[in-house]
């Protein structure tokens, strides 16, 4: 499973003297055994490095160790759809495997630091959330990332003595109640302090709070200013009887709602930009041209949309048809889904990709993009065909 800790460990790693091997392979294209074959052929590309005298001995040894470890990796056959990302630096005692929910282009890169952009571009669509279930005396924090949830912190304040006996004297009761309120406040402050630390450590984008409907608003009052905008929603649950499954279901509904809202906002932004005559591309043809000239800042793809097309691997030209690339004159490669090639090209040029599940105006276009600059006129060969 993917956790925010793993991701930050990967993005912070630096091999120093020894290089890091970063390998991406897309799963589920041609059956389960195919992924193993793809991984092995990618490893083949870097094998010459183990004999490369221009590299220091530790670097060569490290790459050799990386290749062996990745070759011996088990479970690739069982991978679902998506892709696997592997980062390895054997001499630096570093190895991470991340199973990505969407495909990325097959590639192997050797460098001083892990090559994380394709991984981050895919994960960008998923919002790791901190799910807090809180009542007056206890709190439990979970991390929800994609479809998985794990507990990250639990705290219970020392239990209060039951204040029933205080009913004998009105004044006494008042004091005990105040004392209870003070303890609750102290508990809320403690919880907020731990939350603050969790968010400062990085990784969590959203905060979701569950609990008693009368207590949750009180708790929210204790949140510091910078955590408030992160609250994606709240839900009602009994902290003592709730199972992790109950908590996960409630939190997932909130994350889903958040993601659909975000998609609608992104689509609305592009449509508004179009109305204001700012640079955008609407529909496959325009988006492919925009991708060909690296103009795409954010690409929006209707979930499930596919279209056959052609790609020039030399110049990066993308189109729905054409045997010859108008930019460089070489023969194009046919692809069953040029939208996927477009998405990969956008990621390579540091753009963002958002798949849209929500029902929006994007359905009329299937793909749309916010652009970095107005599109140049197309090459004449292209406009003629
Ligand atoms: Zn070309």
């Amino acid at each position: 499973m993917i956790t925010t800790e793993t991701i930050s460990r990967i993005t912070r790693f630096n091999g120093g003297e020894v290089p890091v091997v970063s390998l991406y392979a897309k799963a589920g294209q041609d059956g389960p055994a195919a992924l193993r074959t793809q991984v092995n052929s990618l490893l083949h590309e870097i094998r010459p490095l183990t004999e490369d005298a221009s590299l220091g001995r530790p670097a060569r040894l490290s790459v050799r160790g990386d290749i062996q470890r990745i070759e011996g990796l088990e479970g690739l056959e069982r991978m679902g759809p998506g892709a696997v990302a592997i980062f390895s630096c054997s001499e630096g005692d570093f190895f991470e495997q991340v199973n990505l929910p969407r495909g990325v282009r097959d590639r192997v890169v050797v460098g001083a630091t892990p090559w994380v952009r394709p991984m981050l571009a895919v994960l960008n669509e998923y919002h790791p959330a901190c799910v807090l279930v809180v009542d007056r005396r206890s709190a439990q924090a979970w991390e929800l990332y994609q479809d998985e949830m794990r507990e990250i912190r639990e705290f219970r304040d020392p239990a209060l003595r039951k204040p029933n006996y205080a009913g004998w004297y009105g004044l006494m009761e008042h004091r005990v109640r105040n004392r209870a309120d003070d303890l609750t406040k102290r508990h809320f402050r403690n919880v907020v302090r731990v939350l603050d630390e969790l968010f400062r450590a990085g990784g969590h984008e959203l905060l979701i709070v569950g609990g008693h409907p009368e207590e949750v608003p009180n708790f929210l009052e204790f949140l510091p200013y910078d955590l408030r905008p992160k609250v994606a929603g709240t839900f009602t649950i009994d902290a003592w009887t709730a199972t992790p499954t109950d908590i996960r279901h409630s939190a997932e509904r909130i994350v889903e709602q958040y993601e659909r809202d975000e998609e609608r906002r992104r689509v609305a932004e592009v449509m508004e930009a179009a109305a204001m005559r700012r640079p955008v591309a609407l529909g496959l043809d325009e988006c492919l041209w925009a991708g060909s000239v690296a103009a795409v800042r954010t690409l929006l793809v209707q979930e499930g949309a596919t279209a056959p097309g052609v790609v020039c691997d030399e110049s990066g030209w993308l189109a729905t048809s054409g045997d010859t690339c108008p930019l460089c004159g070489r023969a194009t490669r046919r692809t069953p889904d040029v939208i996927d090639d477009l998405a990969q090209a956008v990621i390579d040029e540091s753009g963002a990709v958002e798949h849209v599940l929500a029902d929006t105006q994007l359905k009329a276009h299937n793909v749309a993009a916010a652009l970095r600059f107005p599109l140049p006129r197309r090459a004449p060969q292209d406009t003629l065909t």
Side-chain angles (χ1 to χ4, degrees), residues 15-326:
E17 299 284 295
V18 283
V20 184
V21 173
S22 307
L23 183 147
Y24 291 84
K26 191 173 178 174
Q29 299 174 97
D30 308 297
L35 184 58
R36 165 65 59 198
T37 316
Q38 279 160 252
V39 168
N40 286 345
S41 80
L42 287 166
L43 291 175
H44 196 66
E45 290 178 24
I46 59 169
R47 225 174 268 282
L49 291 177
T50 62
E51 310 287 336
D52 189 337
S54 68
L55 294 174
R57 188 177 140 77
R60 278 178 308 194
L61 277 180
S62 190
V63 173
R64 188 172 302 160
D66 297 332
I67 292 173
Q68 278 167 0
R69 174 125 192 218
I70 298 169
E71 271 176 343
L73 207 59
E74 286 179 15
L76 286 181
E77 294 72 17
R78 293 189 299 274
M79 277 264 313
V84 63
I86 298 162
F87 307 94
S88 177
C89 174
S90 60
E91 290 291 302
D93 200 20
F94 172 79
F95 186 90
E96 296 289 350
Q97 176 188 346
V98 176
N99 295 344
L100 298 171
R102 284 187 191 278
V104 293
R105 204 174 262 177
D106 287 357
R107 202 152 7 172
V108 65
V109 173
V110 180
T113 54
W115 188 57
V116 294
R117 183 142 37 80
M119 173 180 77
L120 296 182
V122 169
L123 295 181
N124 191 30
E125 293 198 49
Y126 303 84
H127 306 285
C130 176
V131 182
L132 182 82
V133 175
V134 66
D135 70 5
R136 283 178 300 155
R137 294 291 170 264
S138 71
Q140 254 178 316
W142 308 75
E143 176 172 297
L144 178 66
Y145 202 170
Q146 292 186 64
D147 303 334
E148 302 201 60
M149 194 177 76
R150 68 188 181 108
E151 187 172 341
I152 44 180
R153 206 66 77 88
E154 170 166 21
F155 20 57
R156 287 187 197 287
D157 272 14
L160 258 192
R161 271 178 301 162
K162 285 219 165 95
N164 300 347
Y165 69 92
W168 294 349
Y169 303 100
L171 181 63
M172 188 73 167
E173 184 183 46
H174 180 69
R175 271 200 203 136
V176 170
R177 267 212 206 120
N178 274 350
R179 167 102 180 106
D181 283 352
D182 286 347
L183 281 178
T184 300
K185 281 181 195 157
R186 200 182 66 189
H187 167 61
F188 283 174
R189 277 192 208 102
N190 280 340
V191 173
V192 162
R193 191 174 45 74
V194 173
L195 267 188
D196 209 31
E197 279 166 18
L198 282 175
F199 274 83
R200 272 174 213 284
H204 300 107
E205 286 177 43
L206 309 177
L207 175 61
I208 295 168
V209 182
H212 194 279
E214 283 168 17
E215 289 169 6
V216 169
N218 290 339
F219 171 75
L220 293 178
E221 290 297 323
F222 284 80
L223 283 182
Y225 187 74
D226 54 333
L227 275 186
R228 291 181 187 205
K230 306 220 178 232
V231 179
T234 63
F235 61 97
T236 295
I237 207 153
D238 178 53
W240 288 93
T241 57
T243 67
T245 312
D246 300 333
I247 297 169
R248 201 188 66 195
H249 284 163
S250 298
E252 273 175 351
R253 269 199 295 276
I254 291 169
V255 171
E256 259 177 50
Q257 187 64 44
Y258 178 89
E259 285 177 350
R260 296 301 88 76
D261 286 349
E262 182 186 52
E263 291 164 10
R264 285 186 204 99
R265 208 164 49 235
R266 291 265 172 101
V267 173
E269 276 165 14
V270 169
M271 295 304 163
E272 272 168 41
M276 310 275 287
R277 300 191 170 275
R278 287 205 301 270
V280 298
L282 299 179
L284 187 56
D285 244 15
E286 275 186 26
C287 286
L288 290 175
W289 177 234
S292 302
V293 295
V296 177
R297 197 177 51 207
T298 306
L299 177 72
L300 305 177
V301 179
Q302 186 67 45
E303 177 69 24
T306 62
V310 293
V311 185
C312 171
D313 289 320
E314 187 65 26
S315 61
W317 186 69
L318 301 153
T320 49
S321 65
D323 295 333
T324 313
C325 166

